[in-house]
Amino acid sequence: MDRSVYDRMNEQESSHWWFRARRDIIRKTIQKLVRLPESANILEAGCGTGGNLLMLRELGELDAFEYDSSARHIAEEKSGMAIPAGELPDKLPHGAKKYDLIGLFDVLEHIENDRATLSKLGDRLADGGKIFVTVPALPWLWSQHDEHHHHYRRYTRASLQKTADEAGLRLQHSFYANFFLLPVAIGLRAMKKLLKSAAPDDTLPPSWLNRVLYRVFSTEQHFVGRIGMPVGLSVFAVLEKPELSR
């Protein structure tokens, strides 16, 4: 990603509505759909500037890695963890350690060979382990936001399942997220296209609006495992190796 994207991520991931609400939904999904064993081993693959590390560390023994050196150092300062360099799909650190949960949170869209990435991470799963993936959804929403973030693609539930199948993984659960704010995103991107605006989509809004957007998006945590949204700005998916499924 562009250096400016990492800088905004570092500045905003503790307070921006999208990061905060996504963490809420990630936590709820792990609690309801993954159901970690006691003393679970967890890996965040591509941890960025570390916004998820404190939350994940509450759920088990945590490892992480990150490709970008500046982001990696920031994540180390935030978490107090030693975070080695790593590159997907082939340069994975932490030896041959196996994990009960591997988190891949808005990372897969940045990797050209997404199928190989899922396959390699699948090899690092413990018996009964899960890969939890979040990705941007709806290819027709492609915009300058995706280009600035160096995305290779946006997904649908069907295209993510196809990639998982080709990687030798079974899709256990998948659902769309950020449904209620989808009309806002469509309108904003249409307006920016009309005005030929290059302003980033992830700018922190005024505090009152930030609170409102957080509450709207975070509400979706209560639907996890109960009500599936018909569409949304993101796809969340839990994957496993068929031969390791419980």
Side-chain angles (χ1 to χ4, degrees):
M1 293 190 292
D2 292 341
R3 177 84 270 128
S4 61
V5 175
Y6 281 116
D7 290 341
R8 285 196 301 275
M9 182 187 299
N10 177 43
E11 293 169 359
Q12 299 177 7
E13 61 190 351
S14 65
S15 58
H16 192 286
W17 64 271
W18 185 85
F19 288 108
R20 291 176 59 207
R22 186 185 65 157
R23 281 194 296 271
D24 291 344
I25 300 172
I26 287 173
R27 180 194 293 273
K28 184 65 70 172
T29 302
I30 293 172
Q31 291 171 342
K32 296 201 70 172
L33 301 182
V34 177
R35 298 176 183 175
L36 291 170
E38 292 186 14
S39 303
N41 288 316
I42 301 172
L43 172 69
E44 184 173 10
C47 67
T49 54
N52 300 315
L53 295 177
L54 296 180
M55 179 267 292
L56 292 172
R57 196 157 57 182
E58 295 174 358
L59 304 175
E61 298 295 323
L62 180 63
D63 291 326
F65 67 84
E66 169 57 38
Y67 172 75
D68 184 86
S69 59
S70 296
R72 187 167 65 249
H73 294 320
I74 293 169
E76 288 182 326
E77 291 178 358
K78 285 183 179 178
S79 66
M81 296 170 55
I83 299 174
E87 184 177 358
L88 295 164
D90 296 315
K91 298 178 181 178
L92 305 183
H94 303 298
K97 187 173 180 179
K98 302 288 187 176
Y99 294 94
D100 301 296
L101 173 65
I102 298 176
L104 199 63
F105 304 126
D106 288 83
V107 171
L108 193 63
E109 66 274 14
H110 297 277
I111 310 299
E112 184 171 8
N113 195 335
D114 54 352
R115 179 181 59 80
T117 292
L118 292 180
S119 178
K120 294 289 187 179
L121 291 176
D123 292 338
R124 303 296 291 272
L125 290 176
D127 187 16
K130 305 291 190 293
I131 300 175
F132 183 4
V133 181
T134 69
V135 290
L138 309 179
W140 53 267
L141 266 182
W142 185 271
S143 69
Q144 287 185 336
H145 172 85
D146 298 284
E147 295 171 4
H148 290 160
H149 285 71
H150 296 182
H151 292 174
Y152 280 96
R153 66 197 74 80
R154 299 179 71 93
Y155 291 83
T156 63
R157 288 179 63 198
S159 68
L160 184 56
Q161 176 163 6
K162 181 175 184 293
T163 302
D165 289 344
E166 292 173 348
L169 299 173
R170 185 175 78 89
L171 190 148
Q172 186 182 44
H173 302 282
S174 73
F175 58 92
Y176 285 107
N178 213 345
F179 164 73
F180 295 115
L181 295 176
L182 178 59
V184 177
I186 293 173
L188 177 63
R189 294 187 185 189
M191 182 177 66
K192 289 178 64 175
K193 185 175 182 179
L194 181 65
L195 298 176
K196 298 181 180 179
S197 171
D201 288 352
D202 52 1
T203 301
L204 185 67
S207 58
W208 67 269
L209 180 57
N210 193 55
R211 288 193 298 270
V212 170
L213 294 173
Y214 164 72
R215 289 169 184 166
V216 171
F217 187 15
S218 181
T219 296
E220 295 186 22
Q221 68 179 296
H222 304 297
F223 302 149
V224 172
R226 300 172 59 191
I227 301 172
M229 298 300 178
V231 71
L233 287 167
S234 297
V235 180
F236 284 45
V238 178
L239 314 175
E240 63 182 357
K241 296 190 78 170
E243 66 269 24
L244 298 182
S245 60
R246 290 190 176 112

